[in-house]
Amino acid sequence: MNFKIENTEVYGLEKSVKASGNPMRTVFDRSEVSDKDYARAKTLGTARNGEGHDNYLKGIIVQMDVTAPQYWWKQAQRYHWFDFVSSQSTMHCLMKFKIGEQCVEETNKEVIKIVEGLVDEWNALEDPEAKSEKWKEVVASLPAGFCLGATMTTNYQQLKTMYIQRKNHKLTEWHTFCTWCESLPMFLELTGADKLVS
């Protein structure tokens, strides 16, 4: 199984670009988004993180389905506005997964065999207490390369931070993630994230 991002949807881009001018307005401007709005949004959006000028980027909402190994999820979860809508569950489905097919190819084959063996042992048990203990052992033994999918929601401001921090990361999954960011409508133009990578 490979890391992948699918079914991406972007909401609120034009409304947020228009809203980038609100701090300088005494009356709300409800006209169509203009070139002037985009020019201002690009200037504000490319400000360095933490300055607050790029806050309008929070209004550009992104939803997507991500399939990733546990070692990637552990890193991704540090971002506060990269939120789970819902995810696959080891609690409900662990014993139904085909463990070997659910792992990235770099996962040690011997580790996969061990976990598959534990699942076979669980299937052979009848005593509920024994099954519960074996289930815990399977959960505790899952390799970091075991993949789960989740529907996520985030925004351009958070993605800007993630892109800057992860563009040159060791994990190839982050490279794929950053390439996906670059494919989003006007992402680089509005965030300038590629120019802020150190």
Side-chain angles (χ1 to χ4, degrees):
M1 181 162 284
N2 293 318
F3 177 86
K4 57 186 175 182
I5 303 174
E6 304 172 290
N7 306 318
T8 302
E9 295 184 30
V10 178
Y11 307 93
L13 192 147
E14 288 190 355
K15 187 171 186 69
S16 297
V17 165
K18 194 67 168 177
S20 69
N22 285 348
M24 303 304 289
R25 293 187 178 117
T26 57
V27 177
F28 255 29
D29 179 359
R30 292 183 173 84
S31 63
E32 294 292 313
V33 180
S34 68
D35 290 344
K36 181 180 175 184
D37 292 318
Y38 279 110
R40 178 187 56 251
K42 289 176 186 177
T43 299
L44 295 172
T46 58
R48 292 208 167 270
N49 285 8
E51 292 181 355
H53 300 300
D54 63 354
N55 277 349
Y56 83 91
L57 292 171
K58 288 188 286 191
I60 307 173
I61 306 301
V62 184
Q63 291 191 328
M64 67 286 207
D65 295 329
V66 181
T67 301
Q70 293 192 74
Y71 59 78
W72 186 86
W73 282 120
K74 187 169 60 173
Q75 293 181 1
Q77 287 172 3
R78 74 179 298 275
Y79 294 101
H80 299 289
W81 292 278
F82 188 56
D83 295 323
F84 285 86
V85 174
S86 188
S87 65
Q88 288 181 303
S89 172
T90 53
M91 178 67 70
H92 298 295
C93 296
L94 178 56
M95 300 310 184
K96 299 174 186 174
F97 284 115
K98 294 181 179 176
I99 304 295
E101 293 177 17
Q102 203 69 24
C103 293
V104 293
E105 62 186 44
E106 296 85 358
T107 307
N108 185 290
K109 303 305 179 243
E110 292 302 313
V111 172
I112 291 173
K113 280 184 193 174
I114 290 169
V115 177
E116 289 175 336
L118 293 173
V119 171
D120 290 342
E121 290 174 28
W122 178 87
N123 282 319
L125 294 170
E126 293 184 13
D127 176 55
E129 191 173 324
K131 281 183 92 77
S132 177
E133 288 304 310
K134 186 57 67 176
W135 180 87
K136 290 178 188 174
E137 186 179 357
V138 176
V139 169
S141 302
L142 276 177
F146 184 81
C147 293
L148 290 172
T151 299
M152 305 297 293
T153 188
T154 189
N155 61 65
Y156 271 32
Q157 189 179 47
Q158 183 66 95
L159 291 174
K160 174 183 173 181
T161 298
M162 295 170 83
Y163 184 98
I164 293 166
Q165 292 179 353
R166 302 294 176 162
K167 177 70 173 161
N168 297 319
H169 198 274
K170 286 183 193 178
L171 293 178
T172 56
E173 288 86 355
W174 283 114
H175 296 200
T176 301
F177 183 88
C178 290
T179 299
W180 167 80
C181 287
E182 292 169 1
S183 76
L184 297 171
M186 297 193 71
F187 177 76
L188 291 180
E189 294 91 333
L190 292 176
T191 67
D194 56 331
K195 297 175 180 63
L196 298 171
V197 174
S198 54

